[in-house]
Amino acid sequence: MTTLGDSFHVYDTTLRDGAQREGISYSVTDKLAVARLLDGLGVGFIEGGWPGALPKDTEFFARAAAGDLTLKHAQLVAFGATRKAGVRVDQDPQVRALLDSQAPVVTLVAKADRRHVERALRTDVAENRAMVRDTVRFLVDEGRRVFLDAEHFFDGFAFDPDTALRTLESAVEGGADVVVLCDTNGGQLPLGLAETVSDVVARTGFRVGIHCQDDTSCAVANTVAAVQAGATHVQCTANGYGERAGNADLFAVVGNLVTKLGLPVLPPESLAELTRVSHALAEIANIAPDTHQAYVGSSAFAHKAGLHASAIKVDPELYNHIDPDTVGNDMRVLVTEMAGRASLELKGREFGIDLARRPEALTSAVRRVKELEAGGWSFEAADASLELLLKDQLSELDSPPFALESYRVVLDHTHDGTIVSEATVKVHVAGERVIATAEGNGPVHALDAALRKALLPHLSWLDSVQLNDYKVRILNRPHRAAEHGTDAVTRVLVESTDGEREWTTVGVHGNIVEASWLALCDALAHKASRVTPSRA
Amino acid sequence: MTTLGDSFHVYDTTLRDGAQREGISYSVTDKLAVARLLDGLGVGFIEGGWPGALPKDTEFFARAAAGDLTLKHAQLVAFGATRKAGVRVDQDPQVRALLDSQAPVVTLVAKADRRHVERALRTDVAENRAMVRDTVRFLVDEGRRVFLDAEHFFDGFAFDPDTALRTLESAVEGGADVVVLCDTNGGQLPLGLAETVSDVVARTGFRVGIHCQDDTSCAVANTVAAVQAGATHVQCTANGYGERAGNADLFAVVGNLVTKLGLPVLPPESLAELTRVSHALAEIANIAPDTHQAYVGSSAFAHKAGLHASAIKVDPELYNHIDPDTVGNDMRVLVTEMAGRASLELKGREFGIDLARRPEALTSAVRRVKELEAGGWSFEAADASLELLLKDQLSELDSPPFALESYRVVLDHTHDGTIVSEATVKVHVAGERVIATAEGNGPVHALDAALRKALLPHLSWLDSVQLNDYKVRILNRPHRAAEHGTDAVTRVLVESTDGEREWTTVGVHGNIVEASWLALCDALAHKASRVTPSRA
């Protein structure tokens, strides 16, 4: 519990509204893992799904109730609709499913826009009010805490304020203790939304929550503006996952509320966990993390150093809006064509290399980086290759884990249309000469497979290393019209993982296969430098 | 020019501040292409770079001045710093480089935060003011229009309002006609930022602009709030590219200003181009488009069909904040078929193909495009391949200029470090079976060379055809953790020229060489379709 207790709610709907994002499909096990991570962060409420409507959600609540989910901070919330028009609440199976879920809290969604009542529900405003009041009261009488999600509230309020406000009133009459104003189609902007929230709070005195979608790219801003206007309950999703453009990102909302508005909405120790939890949730959702996400993205505190590198070194707080450590993130300085001594020295510090005390090595490292960058290399996304380069300049590098004698890759598009890629490598490793051949989906895959086959018997740590991602950039030639496009220089980035860490390496060459080979070799050399220090 | 004329500025800094994004590295050719797309959209100002500081930017302005860039709407802007402390403005080489760029507009960056003046510039407030005033006046006297970017304005204003305001005053004294308040570290929230903008406008009466970074995930909201508070000049970048978390996204800002605030900040016909231009700029930056981007993302109007499917079909306006057609986007769920038909029919018209009169061919073309797109193909940047596909559906295509029997590519990295790429093709052309072998810098170059060698004696028009550009994008695999990165699907774009026209073709395959081969074949087939109609 935060110092704010029940007076402010951080309400997460990653598992329900967030799961509407195109491409997300959680298993029940995934859902349990997501809930544990969110609970560890200290959110107040975790909306687990819509029991009765989606079988996986029904099962999630059943497993939670059976003891598969023990929550330390959060309360579990079941989401569902009010009773159907013309049906008795105790005979509506969907309402029954909400009770059966055994969740202590229920959030009911209701129409706050008269046009939706009439055109989508095909009923009238009076029956809509009765549906809200009956369903809330039924669940409250059964011992549940009930919140109301007032769908399309802002459009509805602009169109017909009376119907919108009376929807809220019906819920409170039934016993709901928070009415959540939803910008369901995401069309609001902060100044107007804040005005409406203030107006509703002033007119009704109800406890008001906020739920924003990101269709104007303002979901986070709208959520924060609503809090400034009097909302004390914010509905968010991890990383802003959600339908269409998504929802308000939990991490940015919390970051803003805590560091900008000084509201301790999470337990104090949780803030430094934001970056880790954001990435872990992306992993479960099987979505590559957004490197440029506010607060938690790997680039959120990355500076292309250039002219200001020396100033950043002296006064980082002049250039970052917060100390990245606060949210468990790191400041990074990108090495670019403007690289100078100051930025390389800073990078060295990130790697635990003190270049300030080795000015001659720093000079030669700067020269080497500039030469390579002029040839198309770029280290800004390839820290692992840069670390190897700096250690090499300091002669602190172990000899590489293997030596190449030669490789050959053969690609055949045969007369029957079959395409075969085959690679043979000849390498020297652990005192032996090894020859291995393997096939792959393409030339690089075949080469990687052959190299693994050759090395694995001698380098057991290789087993854990996998390629995670592979990027190719063709760099334009200086004189465009004079030559063929395929003469260009190719830059390859390889992201590797050993299951615990990820690292990126770079290779550049006129030949894409050789460029890939260089990046693959750096990837293995980086891992070797981590596993063999004792042998150095 | 918009109906707002000079009274409102849409100022794009994709090529300068946007290029600070990690991973972006534009060639000069790329920069020219970006500028043309932005100009086509009708933005008022295009900040092209920092001449004198970055050699590529200097070259960009030189080529623009030499006639390689003809702008219909926009004015080109050179960005740079004020003169150095203690240096005469006419003797500062960086200021001289701004003049030499021949850009009609110059934006100068200056420190508005006293701490930055003292700790980063290591000078005092009086000299800082003189630096601003002298440099602006010098450039204005030379006939340039000058804007001032007041760096770290909001933090500076909070810390010491007097210094911040006097920086603006110095610029206006020198002749600057817009002072741009920059949230350089991106820490602002909309309500507070709007208050400061109002305050500055009220106190100074100056024409105020806004420049926001996205570190609180509020850059778009802050920019729009600033306009509501009196700013009449917005600095944005395409897709929000920029350092750290990025800048305010041009497309969301424009979408909000036009559709939410009713400000016609772009020519009326441009709004429907937002989606296309956004994707084209992502292609040039070689960054996968953000599918969930507001307004222009491919998921921005995608609804997971579910309980509301029928209501969405009847009343889409109840569920979307705007009509997706407004910004050239599509609603997806149920009506993609319709949208697909309409856009393919339009594309057909561009190629001189009347699909409206061939509804069954249109249906099969839509189906074929959808199948291919599901497999990773994308025709957005490959009109020539799409034209071939449509003509094929209409059975209007000549037989291809040659038929492949087989190819083989061999890559050798030999024991002495030599790297050789060699390709052999066996093709049937003009009734003959031809075998040819050639070497190249890489596998694709070798394949292209061998194919030319085989075909040239039979197809004389091939002599004029050259590859102009070659781009590779690795598409994410569906199951990220389960497989190797090199298993991904590869999409290749090939731009060709015959000295008069340029055309782009696409190929997709698990094997990069085969993907390239498919794009190469389309490139030749396209040219063949232009030279041989009489033989059809």
Side-chain angles (χ1 to χ4, degrees):
Chain A
M1 193 58 83
T2 76
T3 52
L4 295 174
D6 193 57
S7 69
F8 194 95
H9 295 170
V10 175
Y11 180 110
D12 181 276
T13 178
T14 303
L15 290 174
R16 203 273 308 168
D17 215 20
Q20 298 288 307
R21 175 176 162 126
E22 212 176 350
I24 284 188
S25 169
Y26 295 119
S27 67
V28 176
T29 310
D30 288 339
K31 293 186 72 125
L32 292 165
V34 168
R36 286 184 198 109
L37 281 163
L38 291 165
D39 181 54
L41 211 49
V43 306
F45 299 90
I46 297 172
E47 192 175 87
W50 191 331
L54 299 169
K56 262 194 254 172
D57 290 4
T58 308
E59 189 188 337
F60 166 79
F61 284 102
R63 286 189 53 187
D68 281 1
L69 184 64
T70 311
L71 299 176
K72 286 191 296 278
H73 292 99
Q75 288 198 287
L76 206 55
V77 184
F79 176 91
T82 58
R83 70 162 173 81
K84 290 210 168 11
V87 174
R88 272 182 48 181
V89 64
D90 57 356
Q91 291 177 357
D92 187 314
Q94 292 240 4
V95 175
R96 175 62 53 187
L98 292 170
L99 276 186
D100 292 345
S101 77
Q102 300 186 48
V105 183
V106 173
T107 293
L108 290 173
V109 62
K111 305 285 187 194
D113 183 325
R114 183 152 62 79
R115 293 164 298 188
H116 282 263
V117 171
E118 293 165 357
R119 284 149 67 180
L121 287 186
R122 295 167 194 277
T123 186
D124 60 27
V125 168
E127 173 64 0
N128 187 50
R129 290 194 59 181
M131 285 153 62
V132 172
R133 195 172 40 232
D134 293 356
T135 317
V136 175
R137 185 168 294 151
F138 176 76
L139 292 166
V140 169
D141 287 348
E142 293 282 346
R144 302 301 190 272
R145 185 175 190 182
V146 179
F147 304 147
L148 186 86
D149 270 6
E151 217 186 41
H152 294 284
F153 181 83
F154 293 91
D155 290 342
F157 185 76
F159 176 72
D160 174 2
D162 191 59
T163 297
L165 291 173
R166 282 176 187 281
T167 306
L168 308 183
E169 199 178 74
S170 307
V172 172
E173 285 167 8
D177 73 346
V178 181
V179 290
V180 183
L181 313 184
C182 301
D183 181 20
T184 308
N185 69 25
Q188 294 294 305
L189 301 176
L191 300 188
L193 176 135
E195 212 172 288
T196 302
V197 171
S198 293
D199 193 9
V200 171
V201 170
R203 289 209 214 181
T204 66
F206 298 156
R207 179 167 185 180
V208 163
I210 186 75
H211 175 117
C212 295
Q213 301 288 136
D214 204 29
D215 300 75
T216 59
S217 203
C218 294
V220 168
N222 285 343
T223 303
V224 172
V227 171
Q228 292 176 293
T232 57
H233 167 120
V234 292
Q235 297 194 350
C236 305
T237 65
N239 303 322
Y241 297 150
E243 195 172 38
R244 306 190 311 276
N247 288 47
D249 171 22
L250 173 71
F251 304 108
V253 167
V254 164
N256 287 335
L257 293 178
V258 176
T259 71
K260 305 300 174 191
L261 301 185
L263 290 171
V265 299
L266 286 186
E269 66 278 12
S270 291
L271 211 61
E273 300 295 317
L274 292 185
T275 300
R276 180 184 65 79
V277 173
S278 163
H279 292 219
L281 291 170
E283 203 55 54
I284 297 172
N286 202 16
I287 290 174
D290 175 4
T291 51
H292 296 265
Q293 197 172 339
Y295 289 99
V296 299
S298 59
S299 297
F301 299 93
H303 296 265
K304 275 198 183 175
L307 303 176
H308 298 304
S310 54
I312 292 177
K313 192 167 67 174
V314 178
D315 278 322
E317 74 276 17
L318 285 184
Y319 295 87
N320 290 321
H321 69 119
I322 56 161
D323 178 351
D325 286 344
T326 318
V327 291
N329 210 336
D330 293 320
M331 179 164 109
R332 289 189 304 136
V333 175
L334 307 173
V335 176
T336 71
E337 48 195 310
M338 298 192 288
R341 295 180 71 86
S343 41
L344 271 193
E345 195 186 316
L346 268 178
K347 285 307 289 187
R349 227 182 279 171
E350 282 178 34
F351 304 140
I353 303 172
D354 186 358
L355 287 161
R357 291 169 51 196
R358 300 280 303 273
E360 77 300 332
L362 180 54
T363 302
S364 72
V366 169
R367 192 166 51 229
R368 183 80 188 119
V369 168
K370 278 186 194 295
E371 278 166 17
L372 286 168
E373 288 190 335
W377 292 71
S378 166
F379 294 98
E380 63 180 50
D383 274 2
S385 286
L386 183 62
E387 183 182 335
L388 290 169
L389 184 151
L390 293 181
K391 284 187 174 161
D392 189 38
Q393 296 295 323
L394 290 168
S395 311
E396 281 183 4
L397 210 56
D398 301 326
S399 55
F402 67 92
L404 175 74
E405 181 181 312
S406 65
Y407 68 71
R408 163 174 290 186
V409 181
V410 180
L411 289 154
D412 268 312
H413 179 132
T414 65
H415 61 92
D416 64 359
T418 310
I419 294 157
V420 180
S421 303
E422 179 194 290
T424 300
V425 299
K426 300 181 184 177
V427 295
H428 297 261
V429 56
E432 282 184 39
R433 179 168 184 260
V434 185
I435 302 182
T437 297
E439 290 187 342
N441 293 345
V444 178
H445 187 216
L447 200 51
D448 181 52
L451 185 60
R452 284 170 182 282
K453 198 167 164 185
L455 299 181
L456 199 52
H458 304 277
L459 303 173
S460 59
W461 50 261
L462 189 61
D463 199 29
S464 68
V465 178
Q466 287 213 328
L467 297 196
N468 229 1
D469 205 357
Y470 175 79
K471 284 186 178 151
V472 178
R473 169 108 180 145
I474 309 294
L475 305 172
N476 281 352
R477 297 130 293 131
H479 302 294
R480 194 160 187 254
E483 297 166 58
H484 291 306
T486 41
D487 287 347
V489 169
T490 301
R491 183 198 297 152
V492 167
L493 288 173
V494 165
E495 187 189 294
S496 307
T497 181
D498 57 10
E500 288 171 15
R501 295 170 48 256
E502 291 171 354
W503 64 96
T504 303
T505 52
V506 59
V508 174
H509 198 272
N511 186 316
I512 188 172
V513 174
E514 178 68 11
S516 307
W517 170 261
L518 294 172
L520 284 175
C521 290
D522 263 13
L524 300 191
H526 173 83
K527 174 66 183 177
S529 77
R530 288 290 195 276
V531 292
T532 56
S534 55
R535 286 191 243 152
Chain B
M1 192 59 83
T2 76
T3 54
L4 295 174
D6 193 57
S7 69
F8 195 96
H9 295 170
V10 175
Y11 181 109
D12 181 277
T13 178
T14 302
L15 290 173
R16 203 271 309 167
D17 216 20
Q20 298 286 308
R21 175 176 163 127
E22 198 173 359
I24 285 188
S25 168
Y26 295 119
S27 67
V28 175
T29 310
D30 289 338
K31 293 185 73 127
L32 291 165
V34 169
R36 286 185 197 107
L37 281 163
L38 291 166
D39 181 53
L41 209 51
V43 307
F45 298 90
I46 297 171
E47 192 175 86
W50 190 330
L54 298 170
K56 266 194 251 174
D57 290 4
T58 308
E59 190 188 337
F60 167 78
F61 283 102
R63 287 190 53 186
D68 281 0
L69 183 64
T70 312
L71 299 176
K72 286 191 295 278
H73 293 99
Q75 289 198 285
L76 206 55
V77 185
F79 176 90
T82 57
R83 69 162 173 83
K84 290 211 169 12
V87 173
R88 272 181 48 179
V89 63
D90 57 357
Q91 291 178 357
D92 188 311
Q94 294 241 1
V95 176
R96 174 62 52 185
L98 292 171
L99 277 186
D100 292 345
S101 77
Q102 301 186 49
V105 183
V106 173
T107 293
L108 290 173
V109 60
K111 305 285 187 193
D113 183 326
R114 182 153 60 81
R115 293 163 297 187
H116 282 262
V117 172
E118 291 164 357
R119 285 149 66 181
L121 287 187
R122 294 167 196 276
T123 184
D124 60 28
V125 168
E127 173 64 359
N128 186 50
R129 290 194 58 180
M131 286 154 61
V132 172
R133 195 170 40 230
D134 292 357
T135 317
V136 174
R137 185 167 293 150
F138 175 76
L139 292 166
V140 168
D141 287 349
E142 294 281 347
R144 303 301 191 272
R145 185 176 190 181
V146 179
F147 303 147
L148 186 85
D149 270 6
E151 215 186 43
H152 294 283
F153 181 84
F154 294 91
D155 290 342
F157 185 76
F159 176 72
D160 174 3
D162 191 60
T163 296
L165 291 173
R166 283 177 186 280
T167 305
L168 307 183
E169 198 178 75
S170 306
V172 173
E173 285 167 7
D177 73 347
V178 181
V179 290
V180 183
L181 313 184
C182 301
D183 181 20
T184 308
N185 68 26
Q188 294 294 305
L189 300 175
L191 300 188
L193 177 133
E195 211 172 290
T196 302
V197 171
S198 294
D199 193 10
V200 170
V201 170
R203 288 209 214 182
T204 65
F206 297 156
R207 179 167 186 180
V208 163
I210 186 75
H211 176 117
C212 295
Q213 302 288 138
D214 206 27
D215 300 76
T216 59
S217 202
C218 293
V220 169
N222 285 341
T223 303
V224 173
V227 171
Q228 292 176 293
T232 58
H233 166 120
V234 293
Q235 297 195 348
C236 305
T237 65
N239 303 323
Y241 297 149
E243 195 172 39
R244 305 189 312 275
N247 288 46
D249 171 22
L250 174 70
F251 305 108
V253 167
V254 164
N256 287 334
L257 293 178
V258 176
T259 72
K260 305 300 173 191
L261 302 185
L263 290 171
V265 300
L266 287 187
E269 66 278 12
S270 291
L271 210 61
E273 300 294 319
L274 293 185
T275 300
R276 181 185 64 80
V277 172
S278 163
H279 293 214
L281 291 169
E283 202 57 55
I284 296 172
N286 202 18
I287 289 174
D290 175 3
T291 51
H292 295 265
Q293 197 172 340
Y295 291 98
V296 299
S298 59
S299 297
F301 299 92
H303 298 264
K304 271 202 181 171
L307 303 176
H308 298 305
S310 56
I312 292 176
K313 194 163 62 175
V314 177
D315 278 323
E317 73 277 16
L318 286 183
Y319 295 88
N320 289 322
H321 69 118
I322 57 163
D323 177 352
D325 285 344
T326 319
V327 292
N329 210 336
D330 294 322
M331 181 164 111
R332 293 191 296 134
V333 188
L334 342 127
V335 287
T336 46
E337 256 266 286
M338 295 300 297
R341 290 181 78 84
S343 45
L344 270 194
E345 199 186 312
L346 267 177
K347 287 307 288 186
R349 225 179 284 168
E350 277 178 39
F351 305 140
I353 303 172
D354 186 359
L355 286 161
R357 293 170 51 195
R358 299 280 304 272
E360 77 300 333
L362 181 53
T363 302
S364 72
V366 168
R367 192 166 48 232
R368 184 78 189 121
V369 168
K370 279 183 195 298
E371 278 167 18
L372 287 169
E373 288 187 337
W377 292 72
S378 167
F379 295 96
E380 253 163 47
D383 273 4
S385 286
L386 183 61
E387 183 182 334
L388 290 169
L389 184 151
L390 294 181
K391 286 187 171 161
D392 190 38
Q393 296 295 324
L394 290 168
S395 310
E396 279 184 6
L397 210 54
D398 302 323
S399 55
F402 67 93
L404 175 73
E405 181 182 311
S406 65
Y407 67 71
R408 163 174 291 186
V409 181
V410 180
L411 290 154
D412 268 311
H413 179 132
T414 63
H415 62 93
D416 64 1
T418 310
I419 294 157
V420 181
S421 303
E422 179 195 289
T424 300
V425 299
K426 301 181 184 178
V427 295
H428 298 260
V429 57
E432 282 185 40
R433 179 168 184 259
V434 185
I435 301 182
T437 297
E439 290 186 343
N441 293 345
V444 178
H445 187 219
L447 200 51
D448 181 52
L451 185 61
R452 284 170 182 281
K453 198 167 165 185
L455 300 181
L456 200 51
H458 306 276
L459 303 173
S460 60
W461 50 260
L462 189 61
D463 199 29
S464 68
V465 178
Q466 288 213 326
L467 297 195
N468 229 0
D469 204 0
Y470 175 80
K471 283 187 174 153
V472 178
R473 156 113 6 115
I474 309 295
L475 304 172
N476 282 349
R477 294 133 295 127
H479 302 294
R480 191 161 187 256
E483 297 166 57
H484 291 306
T486 42
D487 286 348
V489 169
T490 302
R491 183 199 298 152
V492 167
L493 288 173
V494 164
E495 188 188 295
S496 306
T497 182
D498 57 8
E500 288 171 16
R501 296 170 47 257
E502 291 172 352
W503 64 94
T504 302
T505 52
V506 60
V508 174
H509 198 273
N511 186 317
I512 189 172
V513 174
E514 179 67 11
S516 307
W517 171 261
L518 294 171
L520 284 175
C521 290
D522 263 13
L524 299 190
H526 173 83
K527 175 66 182 176
S529 77
R530 288 291 195 274
V531 292
T532 56
S534 58
R535 285 190 246 152

